[in-house]
Amino acid sequence: MRKKLVVGNWKMHGNRASNALLLSGLKEAGPWTADVAVCVPFPYITETSLALTGTQIAYGSQDCSAHEQGAYTGEVSSAMLADLGCRFAIVGHSERRAYHQESDQLVADKAKAALAHGVTPIVCVGETLAEREAGQTEHVVKRQLAAVIHTLTHCIGEIVLAYEPVWAIGTGLTATPEQAQAVHAVLRQQLRAATQKADAMRILYGGSVKPDNAALLFSQPDIDGGLIGGAALKAADFSAICRAAA
Ligand SMILES: O=C[C@H](O)COP(=O)(O)O
């Protein structure tokens, strides 16, 4: 039985005052049965760690460098994230693939760098609307995951995978539970071919998850929680989604 995981991705939102309010709201709203985490902008990791001390809520980043250290201006290494107590690092989010031209291989290298420092990568895969309409969904997500499997080899069982159809992110369009489950099943099957841990691995769904659709999505056999964007910015909504992941 996989324990569900709900992760809030704050993206590039918030400031010190609003973060403090959100975090205190979450602390009051918990505990939840599911594992819960927030992935916050780099500058706020330390304050988040202090605010969440002694709670069940883990924290992490929204990216990490593929490099170990060195002259890489603007990058943040996994060693630094580990130093700050990060449990998770999102890698390969579609916004980074699209706006920063991150390739499948770079995403895989970032996942490897995170794991090397004990930070669990949340590896995002997902198709665009054009790819779905062209019948390419399965091909695209399998290609994205294959790069990670090839790069991590025997460590692949240590990642968290997130299926995020690009057309559902921030649009209010959610994949139906059946659509999401179908892709999750494909991904699980691909993982089974690569690792004996596949059935213990968590595959999250992301894309316009809200309090009113979370329970149905999370009830699907291969959906093990969610990666939440917009709804993670309101303590009441995020908490309701965490509760739905019982
Ligand atoms: O990482 C989170 C996803 O991009 C989903 O964002 P959203 O819940 O705002 O659609």
Side-chain angles (χ1 to χ4, degrees), residues 6 24 29 41 43 47-48 82 85 89 96 102 110 127 140 146 161 168 180 185-187 200 202 218 232 237:
V6 180
S24 75
E47 284 185 352
T48 299
R96 295 214 56 90
E102 294 196 3
K110 288 183 172 194
E127 82 288 1
V140 170
L161 189 59
V186 164
L187 294 169
R202 295 188 282 197
F218 297 162
D237 286 355

Side-chain angles (χ1 to χ4, degrees), residues 6-225:
V6 180
V7 179
N9 174 10
W10 290 4
K11 307 195 178 183
M12 197 171 72
H13 293 290
N15 55 47
R16 295 176 75 186
S18 67
N19 296 344
L21 273 177
L22 178 50
L23 290 169
S24 75
L26 289 180
K27 284 196 284 187
E28 281 169 28
W32 305 274
T33 310
D35 288 334
V36 173
V38 290
C39 287
V40 308
F42 289 129
Y44 300 126
I45 290 174
T46 298
E47 284 185 352
T48 299
S49 77
L50 295 173
L52 295 180
T53 302
T55 74
Q56 80 171 104
I57 308 170
Y59 57 91
S61 67
Q62 301 167 15
D63 188 26
C64 69
S65 177
H67 301 288
E68 184 60 29
Q69 63 167 351
Y72 299 103
T73 301
E75 295 241 61
V76 176
S77 73
S78 296
M80 294 170 185
L81 298 177
D83 198 21
L84 295 175
C86 286
R87 179 94 50 86
F88 298 103
I90 297 171
V91 298
H93 191 282
S94 65
E95 288 149 15
R96 295 214 56 90
R97 292 180 190 260
Y99 306 146
H100 301 273
Q101 291 75 46
E102 294 196 3
S103 66
D104 295 342
Q105 188 56 52
L106 178 61
V107 172
D109 290 340
K110 288 183 172 194
K112 186 173 184 177
L115 275 182
H117 291 279
V119 177
T120 299
I122 300 172
V123 179
C124 301
V125 299
E127 82 288 1
T128 63
L129 185 57
E131 289 164 339
R132 173 162 282 263
E133 288 177 347
Q136 294 288 302
T137 299
E138 194 170 315
H139 169 76
V140 170
V141 298
K142 286 174 86 170
R143 188 203 71 219
Q144 292 171 332
L145 178 56
V148 185
I149 289 172
H150 178 76
T151 300
L152 297 187
T153 60
H154 60 280
C155 296
I156 186 66
E158 308 307 317
I159 73 166
V160 170
L161 189 59
Y163 169 56
E164 296 208 318
V166 179
W167 48 273
I169 295 175
T171 59
L173 294 173
T174 316
T176 65
E178 294 75 22
Q179 282 174 322
Q181 166 58 27
V183 179
H184 281 231
V186 164
L187 294 169
R188 178 95 55 205
Q189 201 52 41
Q190 189 177 2
L191 289 169
R192 283 194 188 111
T195 174
Q196 292 184 342
K197 293 184 178 169
D199 285 291
M201 292 175 68
R202 295 188 282 197
I203 308 178
L204 313 183
Y205 169 78
S208 297
V209 179
K210 307 289 177 207
D212 61 359
N213 61 20
L216 212 51
L217 285 159
F218 297 162
S219 70
Q220 299 299 307
D222 287 294
I223 299 183
D224 307 310

